[in-house]
Amino acid sequence: MKNNLEERKTKVKSVLVTLLEPEGDKSPYYDVAAALNLKIDFRAFIHVEGVPGKDIRKDKINMADFSAVILTSRNAADHYFRVCEEMRFDVPADMKYFCLSESIALYLQKYIQYRKRKIFFGKQTAKDLAEVLKKHTTEKFLYPCSDVAAEGTETFLKSQGIDFTPAVLFKTVVSDLSDLADVFYDIIVFFSPSSVQSLFENFPTFKQNKTRIAAF
């Protein structure tokens, strides 16, 4: 135990963050790196690939059947509109959008005229939308998600009696990390179970040794 404590006190010089590098130069990561004289590298351990529209059709999902969409991420928004375009479905102006957060709602400006649409958002989880969902129980909801969608969201929607259909429009895929085989960091920072899975799929014999693990 004493040796473990001493190892934890070892000065940190390098950190690997398992995400894409932030755009611009305003990220807090850069402030931390400068203040503590750290080397912080970014590398996405997982990435997203879209499911082709033709495969969505095989699942007998018809975009015209839905009057509302539940969006839990920017990826969900991107792939919803991508699939609509591939299916040559013109999203109607009266489509209703229910977003987990305001940032996702504002992101919709990339695809629609924000002020002219019916857009609702919560603070961060589906439960934040409970009250507004109760006012729209007659809607038929499409729930665009990945192949590793959060079970909590579906469980909540079912508990509220929401008429929704999950649609896997994108998949989370393990990234190729072979170039990191002989690279070592004092800390590796993880933000999802999928990223941890990626580590062991890329390096089945991974040994932690003195590397510290940080988890979001």
Side-chain angles (χ1 to χ4, degrees):
M1 179 64 74
K2 183 177 180 180
N3 287 340
N4 289 340
L5 289 173
E6 290 304 313
E7 288 176 2
R8 290 175 64 86
K9 293 177 183 178
T10 304
K11 183 176 177 61
V12 173
K13 297 180 180 179
S14 62
V15 178
L16 176 62
V17 177
T18 60
L19 296 174
L20 288 173
E21 186 168 0
E23 296 180 1
D25 56 358
K26 300 298 183 181
S27 171
Y29 287 111
Y30 301 132
D31 296 335
V32 171
L36 302 179
N37 192 27
L38 292 175
K39 175 190 178 187
I40 300 183
D41 290 338
F42 299 87
R43 181 65 178 275
F45 274 37
I46 55 176
H47 63 277
V48 167
E49 292 182 359
V51 175
K54 61 181 181 180
D55 291 345
I56 307 300
R57 287 194 182 93
K58 291 179 183 178
D59 292 334
K60 298 182 179 179
I61 293 177
N62 180 11
M63 294 298 184
D65 291 342
F66 304 97
S67 56
V69 187
I70 297 172
L71 299 172
T72 58
S73 67
R74 293 185 177 189
N75 278 329
D78 285 337
H79 290 283
Y80 169 70
F81 287 101
R82 173 188 61 79
V83 169
C84 286
E85 184 176 354
E86 288 183 14
M87 291 184 165
R88 298 181 180 178
F89 171 68
D90 291 327
V91 181
D94 60 353
M95 180 66 72
K96 298 181 179 67
Y97 302 89
F98 295 77
C99 306
L100 254 59
S101 67
E102 185 177 11
S103 63
I104 297 171
L106 291 172
Y107 184 69
L108 291 176
Q109 295 176 98
K110 180 178 178 180
Y111 299 101
I112 61 176
Q113 289 184 303
Y114 187 83
R115 293 183 179 179
K116 295 185 178 181
R117 301 300 174 93
K118 296 180 179 179
I119 301 173
F120 310 90
F121 57 85
K123 293 181 179 179
Q124 199 62 47
T125 69
K127 291 182 180 180
D128 298 328
L129 293 169
E131 291 302 317
V132 70
L133 285 171
K134 288 179 182 178
K135 298 176 183 178
H136 295 86
T137 54
T138 59
E139 306 290 348
K140 291 196 67 174
F141 291 85
L142 180 71
Y143 170 40
C145 58
S146 76
D147 56 329
V148 289
E151 292 183 8
T153 299
E154 285 199 31
T155 300
F156 169 74
L157 294 173
K158 289 177 181 176
S159 72
Q160 299 297 301
I162 302 300
D163 182 6
F164 76 100
T165 299
V168 176
L169 305 188
F170 54 102
K171 295 183 177 182
T172 301
V173 180
V174 169
S175 300
D176 179 7
L177 307 175
S178 56
D179 58 305
L180 295 179
D182 297 316
V183 181
F184 302 94
Y185 290 88
D186 295 319
I187 296 178
I188 303 178
V189 187
F190 292 96
F191 292 81
S192 71
S194 297
S195 292
V196 178
Q197 179 185 355
S198 174
L199 173 69
F200 286 99
E201 285 197 23
N202 275 278
F203 311 111
T205 60
F206 171 77
K207 295 291 190 296
Q208 182 178 347
N209 297 320
K210 294 184 179 181
T211 297
R212 279 156 280 186
I213 304 296
F216 179 69

